[in-house]
Structure formats: C-alpha cells, structure tokens
Amino acid sequence: QVQVVESGGGLVQAGGSLRLSCTSSTLTLRDYIIAWFRQAPGKEREGVGCIWRNDDIAYIPPSMKGRFTISRNNAENALYLQMNSLKPEDTAMYYCAAGVRSCSQPADFDYWGQGTQVTVSS
C-alpha cells in the first residue's frame, strides 16, 4: 500500500527549475520526519534533504544548499522540494520518504513513494 505519493518530475533544461510534491491520503505528514532521496542508475540512493516533524526547518546537504529547498503546506498535507539551477547530474528518480526516527539514512524511513523521474538535459 503506497503511503506517500510524489509528483512534479519531468524533463527540464540545465539551469531550469522543478518543484516536486509529496502528498499522502493516509499519513498526516506534519507528524513525520520527511526526507527526499534520489537515485540515479548505477548509483546509491542519496539524501537530498530532510525536514523534521512539526517543524519548518529543513536540512539540505551542502552540495545542494542554495539550489534546493524543502517546504511544508500543512493545510494541504503536502511537502515540496523546490529545485533551482538544475544540472544534468541532478538527473535521477526522486523519492519522498516518511519516518519517525531520524534523518540519517534510508533505513530510518518506513514509508516510501514510488518516485518521480527528473531528467535534466544539457
């Protein structure tokens, strides 16, 4: 049973922007730690950012800080990953995950979406 759903991926040119959404019909997302991960073919799953439950403060890895932001819309039970200045190396499947333990690693998250593909052309 899919608990979270990602949307908003697509094809964009380098330098462009995309906003990914994470929603759920079964989980109240503000009660969970929510993280975004990405995985490119042949590469390990990589954390893109994480936001604590009942909080608006998000952690973005240094390599993506300044380009990626995470925000919540509790009224719509949604989270967003805003990605600006996209690069071809950002091409990957992007996943939203929900958990209650920590932001450390994929194993900390209990609920995963099926992913949304982001492709950045050069």
Side-chain angles (χ1 to χ4, degrees):
Q1 182 182 1
V2 177
Q3 301 278 10
V4 294
V5 179
E6 306 92 340
S7 61
L11 174 63
V12 63
Q13 288 188 333
S17 298
L18 281 174
R19 189 179 79 158
L20 306 184
S21 299
C22 176
T23 59
S24 178
S25 61
T26 56
L27 304 177
T28 302
L29 295 181
R30 69 174 182 269
D31 294 337
Y32 290 84
I33 301 167
I34 305 295
W36 287 94
F37 292 90
R38 69 185 184 186
Q39 189 165 21
K43 294 189 177 181
E44 291 188 357
R45 193 162 291 190
E46 175 185 26
V48 175
C50 187
I51 189 166
W52 287 90
R53 50 185 169 176
N54 296 314
D55 203 341
D56 291 329
I57 299 173
Y59 170 78
I60 305 293
S63 61
M64 300 160 199
K65 207 166 188 178
R67 297 194 301 125
F68 291 5
T69 57
I70 296 176
S71 61
R72 289 185 182 272
N73 185 329
N74 291 332
E76 295 189 358
N77 198 34
L79 278 96
Y80 307 105
L81 175 66
Q82 178 69 42
M83 304 186 294
N84 300 326
S85 302
L86 283 163
K87 306 174 183 179
E89 51 264 43
D90 294 318
T91 295
M93 185 71 78
Y94 283 70
Y95 298 91
C96 175
V100 296
R101 289 182 286 275
S102 79
C103 281
S104 296
Q105 55 189 333
D108 289 329
F109 294 89
D110 302 305
Y111 307 105
W112 290 80
Q114 294 183 324
T116 186
Q117 178 68 37
V118 171
T119 303
V120 184
S121 63
S122 57

